[in-house]
C-alpha cells in the first residue's frame, strides 16, 4: 500500500518534530518552509535574544544539548545550532522544501456540515477527502499544487504576521515624519545594521514584552542617556530577575505535579478538586512570597511597575518575562537611558507620539512596534475555504481538541499554536500524539465530545489566566496536558519512579522519552 502523504507547513521546532514522528510511523511527510533554513522564530531575532527558561526545559526529549553549551540560558545562535543539529541528526532535511511559500490550502471532499464524527468516519484517512496545497517557490517565482492525504499546520504564532495597532485617520504613522517599523523588521537586520539604524536617534518602543525590552536595552547600549529610548506600554506584567529567589530553584516548583495540585484543572475528579480547594491558602502564600521577592529584587515599586494582578495570572497567561541581568536594566532606568511611559492609548504627530491621556509629546526619530503577532489571523488566512476560516475566527481562543485538532475541519492538525513554559516539549508531545493518531493506535471521540472538552479547557484558562485566556498558553498546566496525551496513546503518564518523585520532583522533556 502507498505511504500516506502528509504535508507539514513550517520547519520550526513544531514542524521538525512533526516530520520526525510522521517518519517514525512510516508516513511520507513533505515540509514546506518559507525561509532557507530550519529554526522558525529563532532564525531572525535581535542580538541579545536568549532562552527565557533554563535550557533543560527547552530541549528535545531524545536529543540532548551539545556539551559545549554550558550557559543555562543559551543565545539565539546556540539555540539555532541546536535545532539544526536535531534536524541533521534525524535526517529531516531531505524532506524539507525551503524557500516555499504556502499560498493556501483547499479541501476536496464531502461536506462536513452534518458530521457527528471527525472526518465523517472518525478515521484520520477516510475513503474520500484530499487537501490541495498551493506552494510558490520564492526563488523561481513558480507555483505548484500538491495533493496530500493530511495537513499539519506548524505556522508559529510569533512570526510573519505583525500585529500593529489601528489608529483613527490622521493620527497614525501616516502623519509621522520619522520611521515607524515593526520589531519583525528590526529583527531581520544584522547586528551592525540594527545598531546603526538606532544610533544617535531618539527611539520609542511600543510594547513592554520580551522583544520590546530587548530592543530598548540595545538602544540604550548604543545611545546611552544622550538619546534615551522610551518604552511606551499599556499594562504592567510580572518580570522575574532570577530563577533562584532566596537561593531556591523556582523551576523545581513550577514544573512539578505539586504545583499543579494547587490549581483546579479541566476535567478533574472530586479528589483533585478537593485537594486544590484545600490547598488554596498555601497557593496564595507561595505566590505572594514570590511577588514580594520580585518587587524588592527588581525595585518595581520605585519605577511604578508593580502589576495590579497576581504573578500567578501572568504565569498561566504566558506573560511572565525572565529579565536577564536585572541590575543592568535598573541602571539604565536610573541613568535615564531608558524611560518608561504607561498609557492606555497614543497617537502620532509629525515629530513623534502623543499621549492623549495627559497631552505629553514624545519626540522620536524612530518608532518600533514590539506589539507581537496576529497568529490567529495567520492561521485563518491559510484556508481558501471561507467556512473553515470562519471556524478559526469565530473561536476566541482557537478551539483545538488536545490543542491540535479543529473538530469541524477534516484531515488537519495544528501543532505549536498553544504555548507553554515547556513550549518545545508541548510541540514534541503533540507531534507524537498526532502521529500516533494517524497510525490508527487510538480514535478521537465524537465532534460533540471534542467540543465539550475544548470548552472545559477554555473555562480552565479563563479561571487561571483571566482576560488573557485567549492566548492559549498552557503555562502551569503542561503536566496535566501531557497526562491526557499519554493516556490517549496508552502510555503511563507517571514518568518517575515512586510517588514522592512523581509529585515533588520537577518534570522535564527527558521524562517523556519513549
Amino acid at each position: 500500500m502507498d505511504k500516506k502523504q502528509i504535508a507539514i507547513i513550517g520547519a520550526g521546532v513544531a514542524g521538525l518534530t512533526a516530520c520526525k514522528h510522521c517518519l517514525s510511523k512510516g508516513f511520507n511527510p513533505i515540509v514546506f518552509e518559507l525561509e532557507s533554513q530550519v529554526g522558525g522564530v529563532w532564525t531572525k531575532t535581535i542580538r541579545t535574544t536568549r532562552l527565557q527558561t533554563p535550557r533543560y526545559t527547552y530541549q528535545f526529549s531524545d536529543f540532548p544539548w551539545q556539551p559545549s553549551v554550558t550557559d543555562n540560558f543559551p543565545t539565539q545562535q546556540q539555540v539555532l545550532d541546536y535545532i539544526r543539529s536535531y534536524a541533521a541528526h534525524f535526517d529531516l532535511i531531505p524532506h524539507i522544501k525551503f524557500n516555499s511559500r504556502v499560498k493556501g490550502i483547499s479541501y476536496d471532499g464531502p461536506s462536513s456540515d452534518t458530521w457527528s464524527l471527525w472526518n465523517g468516519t472518525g478515521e484520520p484517512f477516510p475513503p474520500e477527502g484530499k487537501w490541495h496545497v498551493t506552494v510558490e517557490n520564492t526563488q523561481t517565482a513558480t507555483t505548484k499544487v500538491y495533493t496530500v492525504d493530511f495537513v499539519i499546520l506548524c505556522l508559529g504564532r510569533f512570526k510573519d504576521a505583525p500585529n500593529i495597532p489601528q489608529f483613527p485617520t490622521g493620527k497614525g504613522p501616516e502623519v509621522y515624519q520619522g520611521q515607524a517599523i515593526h520589531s519583525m523588521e528590526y529583527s531581520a537586520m544584522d547586528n551592525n545594521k540594527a545598531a546603526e539604524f538606532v544610533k544617535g536617534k531618539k527611539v520609542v518602543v511600543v510594547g513592554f514584552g520580551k522583544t520590546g525590552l530587548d530592543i530598548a536595552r540595545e538602544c540604550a547600549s548604543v545611545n546611552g542617556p544622550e538619546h534615551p529610548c522610551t518604552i511606551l506600554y499599556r499594562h504592567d506584567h510580572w518580570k522575574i530577575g532570577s530563577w533562584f529567589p532566596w537561593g531556591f530553584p523556582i523551576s523545581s516548583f513550577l514544573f512539578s505535579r505539586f504545583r499543579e495540585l494547587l490549581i483546579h484543572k479541566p476535567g478533574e475528579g472530586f479528589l483533585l478538586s478537593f485537594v486544590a480547594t484545600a490547598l488554596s491558602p498555601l497557593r496564595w502564600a507561595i505566590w505572594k512570597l514570590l511577588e514580594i521577592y520580585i518587587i524588592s529584587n527588581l525595585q518595581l515599586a520605585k519605577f511604578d511597575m508593580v502589576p495590579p494582578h497576581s504573578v500567578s495570572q501572568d504565569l498561566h497567561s504566558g506573560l511572565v518575562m525572565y529579565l536577564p541581568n536585572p541590575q543592568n536594566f535598573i541602571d539604565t532606568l536610573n541613568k535615564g537611558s531608558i524611560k518608561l511611559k504607561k498609557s492606555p492609548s497614543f497617537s502620532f504627530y509629525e515629530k513623534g507620539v502623543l499621549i492623549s491621556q495627559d497631552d505629553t509629546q514624545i519626540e522620536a526619530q524612530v518608532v518600533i512596534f514590539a506589539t507581537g503577532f496576529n497568529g490567529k489571523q495567520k492561521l485563518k488566512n491559510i484556508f481558501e475555504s471561507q467556512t473553515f476560516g470562519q471556524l478559526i475566527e469565530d473561536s476566541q481562543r482557537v478551539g483545538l481538541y488536545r490543542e491540535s485538532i479543529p473538530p469541524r475541519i477534516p484531515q488537519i492538525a495544528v501543532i505549536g499554536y498553544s504555548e507553554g513554559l515547556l513550549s518545545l516539549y508541548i510541540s514534541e508531545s503533540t507531534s507524537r500524539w498526532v502521529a500516533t493518531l494517524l497510525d490508527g493506535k487510538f480514535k478521537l471521540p465524537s465532534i460533540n465530545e471534542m467540543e465539550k472538552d475544548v470548552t472545559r479547557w477554555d473555562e480552565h484558562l479563563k479561571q487561571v489566566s483571566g482576560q488573557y485566556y485567549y492566548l492559549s498558553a498552557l503555562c502551569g498546566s503542561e503536566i496535566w496536558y501531557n497526562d491526557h496525551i499519554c493516556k490517549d496513546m496508552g502510555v503511563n503518564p507517571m514518568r518517575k519512579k515512586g510517588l514522592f518523585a512523581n509529585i515533588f520532583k520537577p518534570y522535564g522533556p527527558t521524562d517523556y522519552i519513549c
Side-chain angles (χ1 to χ4, degrees):
M1 187 174 68
D2 292 339
K3 291 183 178 180
K4 295 294 185 181
Q5 181 88 66
I6 313 295
I8 299 171
I9 303 177
V13 294
L16 293 176
T17 56
C19 181
K20 185 234 179 183
H21 286 287
C22 283
L23 285 170
S24 73
K25 299 297 184 181
F27 296 114
N28 183 24
I30 179 171
V31 184
F32 301 108
E33 169 54 46
L34 177 60
E35 304 295 338
S36 59
Q37 59 180 320
V38 301
V41 69
W42 289 99
T43 60
K44 294 179 181 179
T45 67
I46 61 179
R47 176 177 55 86
T48 54
T49 300
R50 286 178 174 268
L51 274 183
Q52 288 204 73
T53 57
R55 74 174 186 277
Y56 82 86
T57 69
Y58 190 92
Q59 70 176 48
F60 301 99
S61 64
D62 53 1
F63 189 73
W65 281 86
Q66 299 90 331
S68 60
V69 180
T70 57
D71 196 319
N72 272 333
F73 303 93
T75 65
Q76 176 259 353
Q77 188 60 54
Q78 288 173 319
V79 175
L80 191 55
D81 289 343
Y82 173 60
I83 296 171
R84 288 171 176 169
S85 297
Y86 175 86
H89 178 78
F90 290 105
D91 200 26
L92 305 180
I93 301 299
H95 302 276
I96 303 174
K97 289 188 177 295
F98 294 104
N99 305 300
S100 296
R101 184 193 308 276
V102 176
K103 301 179 73 173
I105 60 174
S106 63
Y107 179 67
D108 181 12
S111 172
S112 61
D113 293 344
T114 60
W115 288 349
S116 61
L117 296 175
W118 181 57
N119 296 339
T121 63
E123 302 290 340
F125 304 109
E128 298 179 79
K130 299 280 186 179
W131 280 97
H132 302 303
V133 184
T134 303
V135 182
E136 176 192 13
N137 184 306
T138 59
Q139 290 184 319
T140 63
T142 57
T143 299
K144 181 178 179 180
V145 177
Y146 295 80
T147 298
V148 300
D149 300 291
F150 199 91
V151 174
I152 301 178
L153 299 176
C154 304
L155 301 175
R157 289 172 55 187
F158 306 108
K159 193 172 179 282
D160 301 329
N163 181 49
I164 298 179
Q166 299 296 308
F167 298 90
T169 302
K171 294 187 177 182
E174 71 276 3
V175 303
Y176 174 52
Q177 296 174 354
Q179 292 180 276
I181 66 171
H182 190 267
S183 61
M184 180 178 73
E185 299 171 73
Y186 181 86
S187 300
M189 302 177 188
D190 63 47
N191 296 338
N192 292 334
K193 185 177 180 180
E196 191 63 31
F197 179 70
V198 300
K199 186 177 181 180
K201 300 173 184 176
K202 292 182 179 179
V203 179
V204 169
V205 176
V206 182
F208 201 2
K210 182 68 169 65
T211 300
L213 178 59
D214 284 348
I215 293 174
R217 293 175 81 163
E218 289 198 2
C219 292
S221 69
V222 172
N223 292 326
E226 293 79 15
H227 300 283
C229 175
T230 300
I231 299 179
L232 177 59
Y233 68 107
R234 290 186 299 175
H235 306 293
D236 285 301
H237 291 287
W238 290 94
K239 296 160 181 61
I240 297 177
S242 171
W243 281 87
F244 298 90
W246 297 296
F248 174 78
I250 190 174
S251 58
S252 295
F253 170 67
L254 291 179
F255 303 127
S256 69
R257 284 185 183 276
F258 174 69
R259 192 205 55 73
E260 289 200 7
L261 285 175
L262 301 179
I263 63 171
H264 291 285
K265 296 166 285 295
E268 66 186 358
F270 171 78
L271 179 59
L272 289 177
S273 177
F274 174 80
V275 170
T277 300
L279 294 179
S280 58
L282 177 61
R283 177 179 69 235
W284 179 88
I286 290 173
W287 291 123
K288 185 56 64 175
L289 281 172
L290 182 58
E291 289 172 12
I292 291 171
Y293 174 84
I294 293 172
I295 292 171
S296 172
N297 180 248
L298 298 180
Q299 302 180 34
L300 298 187
K302 176 181 178 180
F303 299 106
D304 189 27
M305 291 168 56
V306 179
H309 50 269
S310 71
V311 67
S312 174
Q313 179 176 310
D314 270 358
L315 171 80
H316 288 287
S317 306
L319 294 173
V320 163
M321 183 176 69
Y322 170 62
L323 184 66
N325 197 0
Q327 189 55 51
N328 172 268
F329 174 64
I330 293 171
D331 289 344
T332 61
L333 293 177
N334 285 323
K335 292 175 181 177
S337 300
I338 292 179
K339 296 183 177 181
L340 304 178
K341 182 64 178 179
K342 197 181 331 181
S343 174
S345 62
F346 75 98
S347 60
F348 283 87
Y349 76 106
E350 294 86 350
K351 295 183 178 180
V353 298
L354 173 66
I355 310 302
S356 55
Q357 192 176 24
D358 55 12
D359 291 326
T360 298
Q361 292 182 336
I362 304 175
E363 289 191 15
Q365 287 82 46
V366 174
V367 174
I368 303 176
F369 288 101
T371 45
F373 295 84
N374 194 335
K376 183 178 179 180
Q377 192 68 29
K378 182 180 177 183
L379 187 61
K380 173 197 170 185
N381 290 345
I382 201 73
F383 294 98
E384 294 182 11
S385 163
Q386 185 176 355
T387 300
F388 291 159
Q390 201 65 40
L391 287 171
I392 298 296
E393 187 170 59
D394 287 348
S395 173
Q396 187 172 2
R397 193 181 69 88
V398 181
L400 302 172
Y401 177 71
R402 295 292 191 257
E403 305 305 310
S404 178
I405 300 294
R408 296 190 181 274
I409 302 179
Q411 290 164 256
I412 204 162
V414 180
I415 299 176
Y417 187 85
S418 300
E419 290 291 305
L421 292 172
L422 301 174
S423 60
L424 187 154
Y425 184 70
I426 291 295
S427 291
E428 185 181 11
S429 62
T430 307
S431 294
R432 183 183 290 117
W433 181 85
V434 168
T436 306
L437 170 67
L438 298 184
D439 197 31
K441 300 304 182 185
F442 66 91
K443 291 187 177 182
L444 298 179
S446 69
I447 290 175
N448 186 47
E449 287 301 315
M450 287 195 285
E451 290 178 334
K452 286 181 179 179
D453 189 78
V454 169
T455 299
R456 282 193 289 268
W457 276 90
D458 282 353
E459 294 303 317
H460 163 68
L461 292 179
K462 286 178 184 178
Q463 182 184 57
V464 297
S465 305
Q467 62 178 312
Y468 299 104
Y469 90 100
Y470 66 90
L471 295 175
S472 290
L474 299 181
C475 304
S477 302
E478 291 96 339
I479 298 175
W480 185 248
Y481 171 75
N482 281 326
D483 283 354
H484 286 78
I485 294 291
C486 288
K487 289 175 183 177
D488 287 345
M489 296 187 295
V491 175
N492 183 5
M494 305 297 281
R495 309 302 298 173
K496 297 181 181 293
K497 293 182 178 180
L499 182 62
F500 180 88
N502 270 294
I503 294 178
F504 294 103
K505 286 190 175 181
Y507 266 66
T510 55
D511 288 306
Y512 292 93
I513 187 169
C514 293

